[in-house]
Amino acid sequence: MAPFNIAYELLVTRLENFQLETNKAFNFTASPSQPQYFLYKFPEDVDSVIIKVVSDAVYPCSVVSVQDIVCPVYDLDHNVEFNGVYQSMTKQAAITVQRKDFPGEQFFVVFVIKPEDYACGGSVPSSMHGNVNRTWNLQRMKNLQVTIVPSIKKSVYVQAMFFSFLSFLSFYLGSMVVAFVHYIRVQRKASAGRLSPEDGSGLVTSSHPITASTPEGSSYGAIDESSSSGGHQLSSPELKPTAGYDTDSSVEEESDFDTMPEIESDKNVIRTKVFLYLSDLSRKDRRIVSKKYKIYFWNIITIAVFYALPVIQLVITYQTVVNVTGNQDICYYNFLCAHPLGVLSAFNNILSNVGHMLLGFLFLLIVLRRNILHRRAMEMKDIYTLDYGIPKHFGLFYAMGIALMMEGVLSACYHVCPNYSNFQFDTSFMYMIAGLCMLKLYQTRHPDINASAYSAYASFAVVICLAVLGVVFGKNDMWFWVIFSVIHVLASLALSTQIYYMGRFKIDGPDSDLGMFRRAAMVLYTDCIQQCSRPMYMDRMVLLIVGNLVNWSFAIFGLVYRPRDFASYILGIFICNLLLYLAFYIIMKLRSSEKLLPIPLFCIVATAVVWAAALYFFFQNLSSWEETPAESREKNRPCILLGFFDDHDVWHFLSAAALFFSFLVLLTLDDDLDTVRRDKIPVF
């Protein structure tokens, strides 16, 4: 790299400290014209070692390489990458080496100082700009310290696996205990003749006689079920359930069984009342509504298969490239706590995702149990529609369980080789989890007007498409952030309008093209200007104003700062909206004189505590693909749990538990309403 010819002298000396020793630090100096390499031999009882290299100076940029004992030794800048395993380095590097990879049970550790700092995130040297500095090469000296320590033994791998599985199997044990206690309580109540209308499973019993029509004296807003096409008398023989009454038939379409009168004026009258009750929004035949929500479950399985297979194939290719080329700058591991197993470079980061899969499957079992108990209760009562409690539709819960399991699978795939290009794999199903939770929360008291599975998943597809575009264009292109922010704000306003008017806002007018604009202006004037001091739906208006302020703040933040981690930026938008809606729901529930039973209250507290602990470990940055690989390694830290798991692995464990408790909150939050008639349950 010198801009002129260099006169030099060649001096040959005997190197006294050529062989490195285990657990003994060795200090030396290297430069571009004076690379260093040393020999290491595996001790008898050591199968794997970690080479730790540190330096006080960030620059000059250097390369650490591990090579087999062959001649020549590749110790020059232009050929150090030709053989063995290598990493670029600023202040810290770590390479795990296994005995099985070196038949001679020994290897060279090579240190090369690069003549420029591009690879480590540095700038162009002054000599490249024409400023001749005859001492530039002498200034690129770097003091290094290398220490080779034994890695963990095979027994630690076994302990880590047992710990991972037993920790989450304890959740299964706890669930069995709760189910057993619930069973004992139900049996005692049954023997005493005091079985409650709802025992955690949607069971309404004879302690509250059910009639087809709304009794006299019900609250304003109740709908006479007998007047609708779905409100047949209970004695009608066609309503007697059969063994397969809830099966999915390909010939049954919603239009054939839709019990909501398809008269626009009727829907407008019902859904735009000031005080809405659950009976107003649960008028459709539950068979059709349940089949509608089951589509969420079947569609997410299809999406998961088609999404996961290419992802698995891609990350296997990434891992193969790393193993074949030896280039450890491709993947952003925490190299101080990356334990290989087989072809995998960081098995611990993959193993720690087992919690998502185990707890996702457990949640599916819990939902299945509730579903079975609910079916049995309905078969016992020989009716399809119950007038008590929140309508029981489990399709979205099943979809949430599958999404949690797939988050574990895709997070494990991402951690096979974490880098900037495949980070979207780790977040795609997080978007879907947050979206499904919001849909489930909305569905609870709006079962007839929730989004269909097709439109919901299409919306998620648009979000994931935007995430991919953000990965490609979101670094420096201002035009992308302008377009995304406009889409974000307009989508927030459109969704707010649909929520505020319960899906009954339509921009239609007279035959003229200006009709729709005239209607929009009229609605804006009457609802937003004339009634600005007192909107018709005050609670909804407060929620939507706060929600829009939050979303507009995100849009402004994105425009101003343009964060490189676009996937996490979108995920932050989803999570903040979910938390805002959940807080609103709980506040409105308490305002309506409803109560929280012990189990949902415990789940809420557990969710808050576990999420707080999880986020603490999440923000312990151990690597960052927003920087160069060498700069990322400066953040690497040793393992903190069992000598096998690092901070990010603990985040995986805790976030799986936190998501599980969050799902249980949604599943049990309204169990207190199982003894309340639907025409007494407010909608918010």
Side-chain angles (χ1 to χ4, degrees):
M1 294 292 288
F4 44 80
N5 294 331
I6 298 292
Y8 66 91
E9 295 179 357
L10 180 63
L11 178 64
V12 180
T13 58
R14 180 177 178 82
L15 189 61
E16 299 295 338
N17 299 302
F18 181 63
Q19 183 170 337
L20 299 174
E21 300 179 18
T22 307
N23 289 320
K24 187 175 181 180
F26 180 71
N27 296 281
F28 61 96
T29 302
S31 69
S33 61
Q34 189 181 11
Q36 301 274 13
Y37 68 91
F38 304 94
L39 174 69
Y40 179 79
K41 295 183 179 180
F42 279 97
E44 290 294 330
D45 58 341
V46 176
D47 293 323
S48 178
V49 296
I50 301 177
I51 304 169
K52 299 180 180 180
V53 187
V54 295
S55 174
D56 293 333
V58 175
Y59 301 118
C61 180
S62 56
V63 176
V64 182
S65 174
V66 176
Q67 303 177 17
D68 203 355
I69 308 295
V70 294
C71 287
V73 177
Y74 295 96
D75 60 348
L76 300 176
D77 174 48
H78 67 273
N79 66 14
V80 68
E81 301 174 358
F82 291 175
N83 188 24
V85 179
Y86 62 92
Q87 294 179 1
S88 59
M89 171 189 166
T90 51
K91 299 181 68 174
Q92 181 172 254
I95 300 178
T96 300
V97 183
Q98 300 181 83
R99 182 196 291 266
K100 67 180 181 63
D101 296 331
F102 296 93
E105 300 183 353
Q106 56 185 356
F107 55 83
F108 286 138
V109 186
V110 182
F111 301 90
V112 175
I113 306 301
K114 298 182 75 67
E116 43 75 26
D117 296 326
Y118 283 132
C120 296
S123 58
V124 179
S126 58
S127 60
M128 293 292 290
H129 293 296
N131 299 326
V132 178
N133 183 352
R134 296 182 181 275
T135 62
W136 73 273
N137 202 33
L138 298 179
Q139 293 175 348
R140 296 190 66 81
M141 304 287 290
K142 190 159 189 172
N143 297 320
L144 298 161
Q145 182 187 81
V146 58
T147 308
I148 300 182
V149 299
S151 185
I152 60 174
K153 298 183 180 295
K154 293 181 180 178
S155 60
V156 180
Y157 281 83
V158 177
Q159 293 174 9
M161 292 182 193
F162 271 108
F163 172 81
S164 301
F165 284 94
L166 292 178
S167 296
F168 293 106
L169 289 177
S170 64
F171 283 81
Y172 284 75
L173 180 61
S175 300
M176 291 175 63
V177 170
V178 172
F180 180 73
V181 171
H182 175 263
Y183 174 77
I184 296 299
R185 288 181 57 195
V186 171
Q187 292 300 314
R188 288 180 178 176
K189 289 182 179 180
S191 61
R194 295 185 296 106
L195 191 62
S196 64
E198 169 72 41
D199 284 294
S201 55
L203 315 184
V204 177
T205 62
S206 57
S207 60
H208 287 266
I210 299 175
T211 58
S213 60
T214 305
E216 295 183 5
S218 61
S219 297
Y220 169 74
I223 301 300
D224 187 355
E225 296 291 341
S226 61
S227 65
S228 68
S229 59
H232 302 293
Q233 295 299 322
L234 296 182
S235 59
S236 180
E238 64 268 23
L239 282 180
K240 302 287 184 181
T242 61
Y245 75 93
D246 208 21
T247 58
D248 289 318
S249 172
S250 59
V251 298
E252 291 182 353
E253 299 294 339
E254 184 172 349
S255 59
D256 298 330
F257 290 90
D258 194 349
T259 60
M260 169 68 83
E262 299 297 330
I263 302 173
E264 292 299 313
S265 60
D266 184 37
K267 290 184 178 181
N268 289 333
V269 168
I270 293 171
R271 297 183 189 175
T272 56
K273 293 187 302 187
V274 177
F275 299 105
L276 271 175
Y277 293 90
L278 186 57
S279 57
D280 298 330
L281 299 179
S282 58
R283 303 176 66 209
K284 292 185 179 181
D285 190 323
R286 68 160 301 280
R287 295 172 300 173
I288 302 307
V289 179
S290 290
K291 288 162 72 71
K292 172 184 175 181
Y293 289 122
K294 279 183 181 178
I295 300 175
Y296 277 96
F297 172 64
W298 294 113
N299 278 12
I300 200 170
I301 291 178
T302 307
I303 292 169
V305 171
F306 277 88
Y307 193 90
L309 290 179
V311 169
I312 294 172
Q313 183 179 3
L314 180 63
V315 297
I316 289 175
T317 303
Y318 267 115
Q319 185 68 72
T320 303
V321 170
V322 172
N323 295 341
V324 171
T325 65
N327 182 3
Q328 297 202 350
D329 284 354
I330 296 176
C331 306
Y332 286 74
Y333 303 116
N334 175 19
F335 287 91
L336 287 176
C337 187
H339 302 297
L341 181 67
V343 298
L344 300 173
S345 299
F347 175 68
N348 54 301
N349 293 151
I350 298 171
L351 177 63
S352 58
N353 284 286
V354 71
H356 295 87
M357 290 174 267
L358 290 177
L359 293 184
F361 185 69
L362 174 59
F363 184 73
L364 288 177
L365 294 179
I366 293 173
V367 175
L368 178 62
R369 174 182 174 273
R370 283 201 164 211
N371 197 356
I372 291 174
L373 292 176
H374 180 56
R375 286 187 181 186
R376 288 178 181 173
M378 292 188 353
E379 291 172 357
M380 288 168 51
K381 304 316 296 179
D382 291 341
I383 58 174
Y384 283 120
T385 305
L386 305 179
D387 288 343
Y388 289 88
I390 302 295
K392 309 295 180 183
H393 304 299
F394 298 97
L396 270 170
F397 283 128
Y398 286 123
M400 289 160 56
I402 296 294
L404 181 55
M405 296 178 69
M406 286 307 303
E407 172 58 26
V409 172
L410 292 176
S411 178
C413 289
Y414 164 70
H415 283 92
V416 169
C417 181
N419 58 52
Y420 180 73
S421 299
N422 60 17
F423 180 61
Q424 57 183 320
F425 304 155
D426 194 22
T427 55
S428 295
F429 269 80
M430 287 298 293
Y431 306 147
M432 300 186 74
I433 288 174
L436 289 172
C437 288
M438 284 188 280
L439 285 171
K440 182 59 199 177
L441 207 53
Y442 187 77
Q443 178 223 40
T444 303
R445 305 201 185 214
H446 309 79
D448 285 354
I449 61 173
N450 205 7
S452 69
Y454 305 113
S455 58
Y457 287 130
S459 302
F460 297 151
V462 171
V463 171
I464 293 175
C465 181
L466 288 173
V468 174
L469 293 176
V471 169
V472 178
F473 301 108
K475 301 178 190 176
N476 302 308
D477 295 314
M478 186 65 184
W479 63 266
F480 170 80
W481 284 100
V482 172
I483 294 175
F484 174 77
S485 299
V486 170
I487 293 174
H488 184 189
V489 171
L490 291 179
S492 300
L493 291 174
L495 185 61
S496 300
T497 304
Q498 290 299 309
I499 292 175
Y500 186 74
Y501 289 103
M502 293 288 183
R504 303 314 305 155
F505 179 82
K506 293 185 181 298
I507 300 182
D508 52 2
D511 296 335
S512 65
D513 294 336
L514 297 177
M516 66 180 209
F517 297 105
R518 189 179 301 115
R519 173 175 166 82
M522 185 177 298
V523 169
L524 180 68
Y525 176 75
T526 56
D527 288 9
C528 300
I529 298 177
Q530 280 189 336
Q531 301 184 33
C532 186
S533 60
R534 181 67 186 179
M536 183 177 293
Y537 313 111
M538 176 60 75
D539 295 327
R540 269 181 265 168
M541 178 62 76
V542 171
L543 168 67
L544 295 174
I545 288 176
V546 175
N548 276 276
L549 289 176
V550 169
N551 283 280
W552 295 351
S553 300
F554 268 104
I556 295 172
F557 175 83
L559 274 175
V560 174
Y561 293 99
R562 284 176 283 171
R564 281 177 55 99
D565 190 354
F566 185 75
S568 295
Y569 170 76
I570 293 186
L571 184 59
I573 294 174
F574 269 88
I575 291 176
C576 284
N577 280 277
L578 173 59
L579 293 177
L580 177 65
Y581 189 26
L582 179 60
F584 168 81
Y585 189 93
I586 294 176
I587 291 173
M588 291 300 299
K589 181 179 178 66
L590 297 176
R591 271 191 60 190
S592 302
S593 300
E594 299 174 11
K595 59 183 178 179
L596 296 175
L597 297 180
I599 288 182
L601 185 59
F602 167 78
C603 292
I604 291 173
V605 174
T607 300
V609 172
V610 178
W611 268 124
L615 290 174
Y616 170 79
F617 288 99
F618 175 76
F619 289 111
Q620 305 298 312
N621 293 326
L622 305 179
S623 61
S624 174
W625 43 254
E626 298 181 27
E627 302 171 335
T628 64
E631 292 171 327
S632 172
R633 273 186 277 275
E634 294 179 21
K635 297 179 168 65
N636 289 178
R637 298 183 198 170
C639 305
I640 63 168
L641 181 62
L642 301 177
F644 191 84
F645 298 112
D646 60 19
D647 297 76
H648 198 73
D649 294 322
V650 177
W651 148 255
H652 286 161
F653 289 135
L654 294 177
S655 63
L659 284 170
F660 176 71
F661 282 124
S662 302
F663 288 4
L664 289 182
V665 170
L666 298 181
L667 183 64
T668 63
L669 187 57
D670 288 313
D671 282 352
D672 60 299
L673 300 179
D674 292 330
T675 59
V676 181
R677 290 190 63 89
R678 290 180 188 168
D679 52 22
K680 306 291 186 181
I681 301 176
V683 171
F684 40 79

